[in-house]
């Protein structure tokens, strides 16, 4: 199964808008909350109240500072989770077949019953999308909330990933990137959505929308004074202004 | 064909969903709490809820770890070791309540003011206030004084509403949104949802903030202002707009006091609004050039009128801000923003407000009876919070911002800033402070309010402050939310008097909510004549916070999923501009410990003390518990804590108590909304349809249309007192300050905390994924923010030769701390900052003593003094806004120097004993 | 990368073991009788011991058999097959050497499978584009030379061993230097990792979490530059240079000493192999 399907029927994935993400980490804990009780083993925490707390999260939000050539530095918040790559190296390295990419929708999953916890797939992923669940000894990764998006126990509107549902700014979009007419594909086309580390050759499905151009130099459309107040005095100004009513 | 494992993509999600209200912060989002086998298994946002519409923040989703945190208190505790040792014994509730009564009852009978009851992040102020009123102590307030009273007071005194939770931008229509000094705010999810809408529409966002994180990071433009100078910037924008004549004259004339006349006669009335024989303000009608009642049908108030030598507010205002000292060129250096940038911003505001105006085809009738065929919208909106509020010039800065909004005609118009019912509500519709305490009797009215003049100050006959926090005294006349940050220092100093029992509820006063934390811990433990200087402290917390260790009697609260609560229209509701809303919490799980909801405990205490309003005439308890109170209590006939499902279950706002009310709320998802009619949706203060709806819904008893106060008469009354007119009179040492700061037109003055030798501003910001001190006990959240660093701008970074991993000593006039530093370029070049309240005291919160929060994490609070350095008059004024008493957290000035790398931040204190280790 | 002891032990010992087994299989070392018993036994012990050590870092070793299933794509799976096949095929040869019968061809096949095993092991690392230092043919080369050299020393092959030592020394020096250039050459930077390069130059402002996590423990290991230089010298000296002269006078004593020296070098090299390897995910954390 660690052979990648030649094509997938759909390319489900996320589009993350870096122009909108405020870095609130809501998607981080919503993801943890859902997946702690969802697909596969729970996401445990080690030393939760101690000196070195550490636990499994399937989605993490970084924060970068970018210095453009001109203008002030910018801060960009940057969520990072599995990109459900088309040429997923994490899948092909897996010795047991636990890692696989689904034929029907392209979701990359770990079959935890077959995982030996060798960690090779995490090594193979350039994006740090896989974290070992040390208690159960299996590899965890973003499931694209496969147990939500098809879940008939959920109302139709809730059949979307937990992180997307919770994102307060709506910076996360879910859909079929294989369908050029889907909302996500159109967003990517309109906003110049890009891949992460294309040079790694993984062909990620997820896309990121770039921050819009910031701190645009001000057009010279400054306000013209009504008249020369110094010359006419306050009374002149008031007359001129109230003429307008 | 590849074989794929088969698994169930439709697993059952949970056994049951219970809908209640989140309490990981004051935003009060609706949550769906999933239960599996009786345990909370998952928390998600409630899609139908007006506040969060399904989304949740990082804290909200992590709530599941809050209710299993090892730091939860388990049973009532009585202190057995010295204060601060954390040595307690568990006692029964009966013992605990009897002990509390034995302390309180004698006070009520002899000197009620000796009980000071202060509540922190209290969401039940209408109950706690009522209780304190019934007890008869003047000493009650919640945390508003150290939080954001500048915002609230400036808003109420100016537009009858405020930023913060009283209003919000018209997210659907606004085209240009300017946000001043906000990191997260109470409106945490609504702001994010709103920003998302703007982004989706491609509307423009401008952030004014020394620090470019969060909302400011996604803003299209960033103005990295020098802290404390927003007033200068805003008045300069006003200068530009006036100079260009880009103000909404029609709006100003009709809806604001711009067209009222200012008394120009020398003497005790000078500068007050000119009144007619009926003591009513009046305008000059342009049709007749004659005086006319301000609210008469058809009047066209003349902004340019001069009548018997008295000019309009408009002229006085325009002349003030057209003065050259307000020109961008004159302020640019000080605010740290180049003049062309300020001018360009003014041009943007004017362009969007006037050239891109919108119009809604919705006829409406104003209070003068004039019918308008459409609603004109000025799609520029603003929001501001503690960045302008938490400075000692914050009140006037917030007033200036409201003035800017008013000049652009953007308040209560489509695309602008919209108030949420029960706001707008003019200052006249608010109570004034009540403070006269009589042994054995309740106070005659609520403690907190909005003084209209010096005669409403809370002063004793000798002119000294009546309240322990000195709120509503000459030092801080308009301290509408009290001054919680002064309670412990004043009680310790016996200034204005000594108290006996300090009763606190959910405020971590021994740590992150105090200024000068180390000194406060000493004040709490200092003894005199074999007794603590503050003899008794009763405290209600749900967790083993730092404050717990300093109290004598602990009343352990439940967590938010285990109790009834009410988010009431009598208090701080969850309204939207288009709908009044309130909500409840209810026990979606039962506590597994011997803890009780604080509100129920307070009601029980009220009954045991026999407080009026808490007992029947026969002396038996009036309410079984808080749930019973929510349903049965009536503030005014037919008006109770909850507005929905009253009477027979279908009455809204007014109606008899309905025993099924709570169940009806639960069935409705935990909240209720009453929608504002379309015709009443905008122009609310002047819209006859809105006024009628508000009366119907029970907000007021009669329509209350009013004019926005560009010129604030109450402020002028204080100035007149400072000039020697009227009674009471301020002490001489305060005259000059009152005269300068309490200007009836917004002004800017340098923050009072500015001192020579401390070139940098030091700020804190709320981390979005952490709530004050109480998120650190959360196993998930503390992995995100387990320690903090001081962010240093490039200039300072280079000057000090800092490299990654370095440490620094940061010194203010109040002391110094040693902390790790980190570099940030997107930062005002004279500002350093850190995340708020990450640092913890060793041993608190059931964290290991070597937890990073306690070793590396740190507070800036040690650097902030509750008193300003002595000024010329030999007095040390409170480090607060001189008008409202708002704690001036962000006036902090520091200097910085590199030091050798440290293992732990300084200062460090001993390990707090854990109250959880008692038997 | 985190230099996990189990993985270091695995690669060093199984490398040496299979190298030695290959030489035995080829008959380059050709013991008979009881010495054959002990020498084959040593080869098996090293190879199997190494393989067993590798299971120590598995989260679910009880499912290890599943690792045989994905030979079409997975080098680990292939390694599982080749190693087991090598050990099985060589068994008759070992028995033959001990008990004195001849098994034609199997020795050759077993040697080839041993070599393949070593190659597979090296490809576990060399296949990873995410770790540029490893993603290079110098890795299989070095792994191969280590096995050969170790085996040759153990087998007391004299000049052959000396030549191996020389080749290994050169390969190591070259490998270190070539490796140093690999990360820059792979083209991944924080700009490509975040796509923010089009705006300006990005740097980490704030980490996503102050607590630790698996990624940081596993993929991000910072060795001091000075440290690394010293260790490299030690690795080359011990693994290749010092044993070299000893190989010319094979005796149980010199062989034992040479193997000890060589193994020391091999362990140091292997530690460095992991510790110096930088995973591109470190870019996200501003650390490598
Ligand atoms: N340096 C600096 N200091 C500041 C500020 C700043 O900007 N900079 N901001 C100030 C402001 S605006 C504020 S509002 C204060 C906030 O300061 P605090 O009001 O002290 O806020 P918290 O840390 O949230 O502490 C509240 C206490 O309530 C307890 N608690 C939590 N849940 C419950 C419950 O359900 N029931 C009960 N009974 N108790 C509960 C917590 O355990 C905690 O001990 O901090 C102030 N301090
Ligand atoms: N996640 C989370 N949410 C919270 C809280 C929390 O602890 N955590 N606390 C709640 C409470 S009690 C409060 S009061 C609110 C406060 O919410 P905010 O008003 O957002 O308060 P702060 O986080 O203190 O942020 C103040 C902002 O003002 C900026 N600032 C400081 N000085 C100036 C200035 O002079 N000019 C300008 N323009 N900006 C300035 C700072 O850089 C910072 O961005 O948040 C509430 N919401
Ligand atoms: S992001 Fe990583 S884990 Fe996800 S499919 Fe791509 S390579 Fe695999
Ligand atoms: S850790 Fe599990 S999923 Fe990953 S490669 Fe190993 S067996 Fe496959
Ligand atoms: S799609 Fe689901 S599993 Fe993936 S990051 Fe979002 S919440 Fe987590
Ligand atoms: S929830 Fe949305 S806004 Fe918040 S960090 Fe995640 S993507 Fe960004
Ligand atoms: S903003 Fe977050 S913590 Fe606050 S009430 Fe809403 S979900 Fe809860
Ligand atoms: Mo606050």
């Amino acid at each position: 199964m660690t052979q990648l399907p030649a094509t997938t029927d759909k390319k489900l994935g996320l589009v993350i808008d870096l122009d909108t993400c405020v870095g609130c980490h809501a998607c981080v804990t919503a993801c943890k909350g859902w997946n702690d009780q969802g697909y596969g083993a729970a996401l445990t925490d080690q030393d939760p109240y101690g000196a070195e707390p550490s636990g499994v999260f399937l989605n993490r939000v970084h924060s970068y500072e970018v210095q453009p050539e001109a203008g002030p530095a910018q801060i960009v918040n940057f969520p990072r989770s599995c990109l459900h790559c088309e040429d997923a190296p994490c899948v092909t390295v897996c010795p047991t077949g636990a890692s696989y990419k689904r034929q029907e929708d392209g979701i990359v999953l770990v079959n935890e019953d077959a995982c030996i916890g060798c960690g090779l797939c995490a090594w193979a992923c350039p994006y740090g999308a896989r974290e070992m669940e040390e208690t159960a000894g299996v590899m965890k990764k973003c499931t694209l909330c496969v147990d939500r998006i098809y879940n008939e126990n959920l109302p139709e509107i809730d059949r979307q990933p937990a992180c997307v549902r919770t994102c307060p700014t709506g910076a996360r979009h879910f859909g079929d990137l294989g369908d050029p007419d889907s909302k996500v594909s159109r967003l990517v086309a309109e906003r110049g959505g890009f891949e992460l580390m294309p040079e790694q050759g993984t062909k990620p499905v997820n896309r990121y929308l770039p921050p819009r151009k910031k701190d645009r130099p001000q057009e010279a459309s400054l306000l013209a004074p009504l008249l020369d107040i110094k010359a006419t005095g306050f009374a002149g100004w008031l007359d001129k202004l109230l003429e307008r009513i | 064909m590849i074989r794929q494992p088969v698994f169930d993509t439709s697993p059952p999600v949970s056994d049951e969903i219970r809908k209640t209200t989140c309490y990981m912060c004051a935003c009060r989002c609706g949550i769906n709490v999933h239960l599996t086998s009786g345990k909370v298994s998952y928390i998600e946002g409630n899609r139908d809820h007006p506040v969060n519409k399904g989304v949740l923040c990082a804290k909200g989703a992590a709530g599941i770890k809050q209710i299993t945190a090892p730091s939860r208190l388990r049973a009532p505790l009585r202190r057995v070791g010295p204060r601060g040792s954390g040595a307690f014994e568990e006692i029964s509730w009966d013992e605990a309540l009897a002990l509390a009564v034995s302390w309180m009852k004698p006070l009520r009978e002899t000197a009620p003011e000796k009980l000071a009851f202060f509540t922190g992040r209290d969401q039940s102020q209408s109950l706690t206030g009522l209780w304190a009123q019934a007890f008869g102590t003047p000493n009650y307030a919640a945390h508003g004084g150290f939080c954001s009273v500048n915002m609230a007071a400036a808003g109420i005194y100016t537009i009858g509403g405020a930023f913060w939770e009283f209003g919000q931008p018209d997210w659907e229509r606004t085209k240009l949104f300017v946000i001043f000094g906000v990191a997260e705010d109470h409106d945490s999810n609504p702001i994010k949802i709103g920003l998302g809408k703007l982004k989706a529409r491609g509307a423009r966002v401008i952030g004014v903030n020394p620090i470019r994180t969060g909302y400011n990071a996604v803003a299209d433009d960033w103005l990295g202002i020098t802290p404390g100078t927003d007033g200068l910037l805003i008045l300069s924008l006003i200068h530009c707009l006036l100079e260009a004549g880009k103000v909404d004259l029609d709006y100003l004339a009709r809806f604001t006091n711009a067209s009222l006349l200012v008394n120009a006669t020398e003497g005790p009335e000078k500068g007050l609004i000119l009144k007619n024989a009926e003591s009513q303000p009046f305008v000059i009608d342009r049709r007749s050039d004659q005086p006319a009642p301000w609210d008469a049908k058809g009047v066209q108030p003349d902004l340019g009128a001069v009548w018997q030598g008295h000019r309009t507010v408009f002229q006085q205002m325009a002349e003030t801000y057209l003065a050259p000292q307000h020109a961008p060129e004159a302020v640019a250096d000080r605010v740290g923003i180049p003049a062309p940038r300020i001018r360009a911003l003014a041009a943007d505001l004017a362009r969007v407000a006037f050239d891109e105006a919108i119009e809604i085809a919705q006829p409406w009738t104003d209070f003068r009876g004039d019918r308008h065929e459409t609603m004109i919208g000025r799609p520029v909106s603003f929001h501001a919070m503690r960045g302008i509020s938490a400075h000692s010039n914050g009140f006037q800065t917030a007033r200036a911002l409201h003035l800017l909004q008013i000049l652009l005609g953007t308040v209560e118009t489509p695309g602008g800033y919209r108030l949420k019912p029960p706001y707008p509500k003019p200052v006249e519709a608010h109570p004034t402070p009540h403070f006269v305490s009589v042994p054995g009797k309740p106070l005659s009215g609520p403690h907190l309010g909005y003084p209209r003049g010096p005669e409403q100050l809370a002063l004793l006959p000798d002119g000294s402050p009546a309240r322990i926090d000195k709120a509503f005294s000459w030092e801080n006349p308009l301290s509408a939310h009290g001054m919680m940050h002064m309670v412990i220092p004043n009680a310790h100093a016996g200034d204005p008097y000594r108290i006996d029992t300090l009763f606190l509820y959910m405020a971590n006063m021994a740590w992150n909510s105090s200024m000068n934390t180390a000194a406060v811990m000493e004040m709490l433990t200092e003894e005199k004549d074999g007794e603590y200087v503050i003899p008794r402290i009763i405290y209600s917390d749900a967790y083993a916070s730092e404050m717990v260790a300093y109290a004598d009697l602990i009343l352990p609260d439940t967590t938010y999923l285990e109790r009834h609560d009410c988010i009431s229209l009598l208090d701080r509701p969850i309204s939207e501009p288009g709908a009044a809303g309130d909500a409840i919490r209810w026990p979606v799980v039962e506590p597994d410990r011997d803890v009780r909801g604080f509100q129920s405990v307070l009601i029980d205490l009220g009954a045991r003390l026999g407080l009026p309003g808490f007992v029947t005439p026969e002396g038996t308890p009036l309410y079984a518990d808080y749930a019973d109170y929510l349903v049965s209590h009536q503030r005014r006939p037919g008006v109770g804590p909850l507005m929905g499902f009253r009477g027979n279950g279908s009455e809204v706002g007014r109606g008899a108590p309905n025993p099924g009310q709570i169940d009806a709320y639960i069935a409705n998802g935990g909240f209720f909304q009453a929608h504002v009619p379309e015709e009443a949706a905008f122009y609310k203060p002047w819209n006859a349809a809105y006024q009628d709806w508000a009366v119907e819904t029970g907000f007021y008893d009669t329509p209350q249309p009013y004019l926005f106060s560009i010129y604030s008469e109450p402020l002028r009354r204080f100035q007149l007192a400072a000039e020697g007119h009227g009674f009471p009179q301020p002490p001489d040492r305060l005259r000059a300050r009152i005269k300068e700061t309490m200007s009836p037109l917004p002004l800017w003055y340098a923050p009072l905390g500015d001192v020579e030798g401390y070139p940098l501003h030091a700020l804190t910001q709320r981390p979005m994924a952490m709530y004050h001190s109480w998120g650190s006990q959360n196993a998930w959240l503390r992995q995100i923010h387990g320690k903090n660093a001081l962010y240093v701008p490039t200039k300072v970074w280079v000057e000090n030769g800092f490299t990654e991993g370095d440490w620094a000593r940061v010194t203010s006039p109040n002391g110094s701390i040693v902390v790790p530093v980190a570099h940030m370029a997107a930062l005002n070049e004279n500002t350093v900052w850190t995340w708020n309240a990450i640092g913890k005291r060793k041993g608190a919160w059931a964290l290991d003593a070597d937890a990073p929060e306690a070793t590396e994490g740190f507070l800036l609070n040690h650097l902030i003094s509750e008193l300003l350095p002595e000024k010329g008059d030999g007095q040390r004024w409170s480090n607060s806004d001189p008008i409202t008493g708002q704690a001036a957290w962000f006036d902090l000035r520091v200097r910085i120097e590199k030091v050798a790398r440290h293992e732990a931040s300084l200062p460090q204190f001993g390990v707090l004993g854990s109250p959880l280790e008692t038997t | 990368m985190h230099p996990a002891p189990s993985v270091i032990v695995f690669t060093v010992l199984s490398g040496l073991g299979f190298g030695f087994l290959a030489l035995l299989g080829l008959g380059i070392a050709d013991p008979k009788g009881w010495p054959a018993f002990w020498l084959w036994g040593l080869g098996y012990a090293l190879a199997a011991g190494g393989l067993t050590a590798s299971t120590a870092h598995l989260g679910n070793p009880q499912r290890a058999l599943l690792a045989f299933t994905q030979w079409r794509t997975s080098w680990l799976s292939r390694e599982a097959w080749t190693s087991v096949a090598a050990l099985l095929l060589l068994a008759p040869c070992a028995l033959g050497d001990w008990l004195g019968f001849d098994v034609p061809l199997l020795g050759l096949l077993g040697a080839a499978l041993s070599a393949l095993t070593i190659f597979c092991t090296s490809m576990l690392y060399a296949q990873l584009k995410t770790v540029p230092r490893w993603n290079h043919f110098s890795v299989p080369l070095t792994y191969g030379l280590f096995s050969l050299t170790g085996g040759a020393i153990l087998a007391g092959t004299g000049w052959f061993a000396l030549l191996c030592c020389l080749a290994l020394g050169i390969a190591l020096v070259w490998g270190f230097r070539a490796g140093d250039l690999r990360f820059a050459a792979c083209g991944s930077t924080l700009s490509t990792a975040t796509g923010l390069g089009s705006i300006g130059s990005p740097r980490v402002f704030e980490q996503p979490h102050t607590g630790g996590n698996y990624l940081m423990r596993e993929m991000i290991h910072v060795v001091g530059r000075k440290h690394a230089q010293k260790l490299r010298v030690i690795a080359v000296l011990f693994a290749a240079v010092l044993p070299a002269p000893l190989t010319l006078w094979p005796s149980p004593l010199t062989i034992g000493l040479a193997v000890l020296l060589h193994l020391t070098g091999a362990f140091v090299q292997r530690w460095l192999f992991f510790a110096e390897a930088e995973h591109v995910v470190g870019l996200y954390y501003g650390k490598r």
Side-chain angles (χ1 to χ4, degrees), chain B residues 570-843:
Chain B
L570 301 179
D571 194 332
R572 292 162 57 179
I574 51 153
S575 302
E576 297 284 287
D582 61 11
I584 60 160
R585 285 186 200 92
W586 56 287
V588 297
V589 284
E590 288 298 326
D592 55 358
R593 315 169 302 290
D594 192 16
V595 295
R596 292 186 187 170
F598 176 69
Q599 288 79 5
S600 292
V601 170
L602 197 62
I603 286 169
D604 189 343
L605 274 176
R608 288 173 194 240
L609 288 163
L611 301 186
F614 292 85
V615 286
T616 60
E618 297 74 45
T620 58
L622 196 53
Y623 308 110
D625 55 16
Y626 194 36
D628 185 18
Y629 166 92
L630 293 181
V631 169
S632 346
H633 172 71
Q634 297 189 65
R635 203 43 72 95
R636 288 174 279 134
V639 176
L642 292 168
M643 74 164 155
F645 313 107
R646 299 194 69 81
N648 60 12
S650 65
E651 286 159 57
V652 177
R654 291 175 198 268
N658 166 16
Q661 196 179 24
I662 291 207
D663 289 337
Y665 267 80
I666 291 173
N668 198 46
F671 65 95
F672 182 82
Q673 278 192 299
H675 292 272
V676 178
E678 287 283 291
E679 189 193 350
F682 294 95
Y683 293 94
K684 294 191 200 98
W686 321 292
N687 186 328
Y690 176 78
Q691 296 291 323
D692 292 343
W693 179 81
V695 171
E696 221 172 90
T697 317
F699 303 152
Y700 344 120
D701 291 329
T702 55
Q704 312 240 357
Y706 64 98
L707 299 176
F708 283 169
S709 290
I710 289 177
Y711 187 92
S712 173
E713 200 174 37
L715 290 175
R716 177 59 196 153
R717 292 206 184 96
F718 284 92
Q719 269 190 332
L720 279 170
E723 287 164 13
H725 298 290
F727 181 82
Q729 281 288 304
D732 288 340
R733 62 186 173 86
L734 290 171
R735 283 185 195 278
R737 187 172 96 162
I738 291 170
K739 205 167 157 347
E740 188 207 335
T741 58
M742 296 192 75
S743 150
L745 286 172
L747 88 163
W748 182 84
Y749 51 89
L752 306 182
D754 279 5
V755 269
E756 292 285 310
Y758 299 89
L760 302 174
H761 300 259
L763 303 176
T764 54
Q765 294 203 100
R766 304 285 187 265
M768 290 180 180
M770 188 57 79
Y771 197 61
H772 295 290
S773 57
W774 94 53
S776 291
Q777 63 196 321
N778 187 296
W780 295 351
L781 299 179
R782 71 183 289 258
Q783 291 183 51
I784 300 174
H785 289 288
K787 57 188 178 190
N788 53 323
L790 188 79
Y791 287 101
V792 173
T794 309
K795 191 182 82 173
V796 181
W797 187 261
V798 173
E799 275 170 9
N800 285 276
F802 285 129
T803 54
E804 204 186 313
D806 273 347
W807 288 63
R809 172 172 293 109
V810 186
T811 306
S812 78
N814 199 52
S816 57
I817 58 178
V818 172
V819 301
V821 291
H823 173 218
M824 181 183 193
L827 177 58
N828 173 285
E829 63 172 17
N830 301 311
T831 301
V832 295
W833 73 278
T834 190
W835 295 120
N836 188 46
I838 300 299
K840 297 282 128 55
R841 172 88 183 258
K842 278 201 171 79

Side-chain angles (χ1 to χ4, degrees), chain A residues 1 3-5 18-26 28-30 32-34 36-37 39 45 47-51 53-55 57 65 67 72-75 77 100-104 109 111 146-148 150-154 157-158 160 162 165-169 212-216 218-219 221-227 229 234 237-238 241-242 244-245, chain B residues 1-5 7 9-13 32 41-42 44-45 47 54-58 61-62 69-70 189 192-193 196 199 202 204 212 214-215 217-222 240-246 249 286 303-304 311 314-315 318-319 322 340-341 343-344 346-348 350 768-769 777 779-784 824-826 846-848 850-852:
Chain A
M1 279 161 277
Q3 262 177 306
L4 289 163
L18 299 181
D19 190 58
T20 303
C21 172
V22 294
C24 68
H25 296 268
V28 174
T29 58
K32 175 113 172 168
W34 176 258
D36 199 29
Q37 51 95 57
Y39 181 91
D45 302 296
D47 200 16
Y49 306 100
S54 157
F57 287 79
E65 187 170 75
Q67 180 63 61
Q74 301 171 17
I75 299 284
N77 298 300
Y100 65 107
K101 185 169 175 73
R102 282 158 51 101
Q103 167 82 52
E104 57 270 47
L109 279 184
N111 171 8
V146 66
D147 52 349
R148 290 185 63 90
Y150 301 112
N151 196 327
E152 282 159 19
N153 295 311
L154 287 172
I157 189 172
D158 278 344
Q160 50 168 299
R165 187 193 188 282
T166 211
C167 174
T169 62
R212 293 185 171 96
K213 201 156 166 40
K214 295 209 191 308
D215 303 306
R216 62 180 156 93
Q218 304 295 340
E219 316 83 314
S221 79
L222 298 187
L223 290 173
L226 272 185
L227 43 65
I229 301 182
F234 178 67
W237 174 86
L238 190 65
L241 180 72
L242 296 181
R244 297 180 165 189
I245 297 192
Chain B
M1 188 61 206
I2 296 167
R3 266 190 313 122
Q4 289 180 179
F7 65 96
T9 55
S10 275
V13 175
N32 300 341
S41 53
Y42 179 56
E44 68 187 348
R47 280 193 186 276
V55 310
L56 274 193
C57 80
N189 280 328
K192 295 189 188 78
I193 297 170
K199 287 286 180 181
R204 185 127 166 266
R212 195 178 203 178
Y215 307 153
V218 300
D220 298 285
D221 282 282
W222 172 58
C240 299
L241 293 169
L242 286 169
E243 191 180 53
K246 293 286 188 186
L249 294 170
R286 278 200 294 129
L303 292 173
R311 294 194 307 168
F314 181 74
Q315 294 168 68
E319 200 170 31
L322 281 168
R341 201 108 198 259
R343 289 200 176 273
D348 273 347
M768 290 180 180
Q777 63 196 321
W780 295 351
L781 299 179
R782 71 183 289 258
Q783 291 183 51
I784 300 174
M824 181 183 193
L847 298 179
D848 291 357
D850 54 357

Side-chain angles (χ1 to χ4, degrees), chain A residues 1-2 54 60-65 67 80 92-93 95 97 112-113 115-116 123-125 128 136-137 197 199, chain C residues 57 59-60 63 70 73-74 76 130 188 192 201-203 205-206 208-209 213 215 217-219 279 281 284-285:
Chain A
M1 279 161 277
T2 56
S54 157
R60 309 237 182 205
V61 179
H62 293 251
S63 178
Y64 298 104
E65 187 170 75
Q67 180 63 61
R80 177 178 57 79
T92 50
V93 296
E112 292 177 13
D113 294 338
C115 175
I116 55 171
W123 286 12
C125 170
M197 291 202 259
E199 70 282 356
Chain C
H57 88 282
N60 277 295
R63 299 178 187 148
Q70 306 302 316
T73 59
S74 165
L76 182 52
T130 50
S188 291
T192 68
S201 56
R203 59 176 274 270
F205 165 59
E206 197 170 40
H209 42 92
N213 71 354
L215 292 173
R217 284 189 298 270
E218 186 75 4
M219 322 283 180
H279 194 286
V281 76
Y284 287 105
Y285 286 87

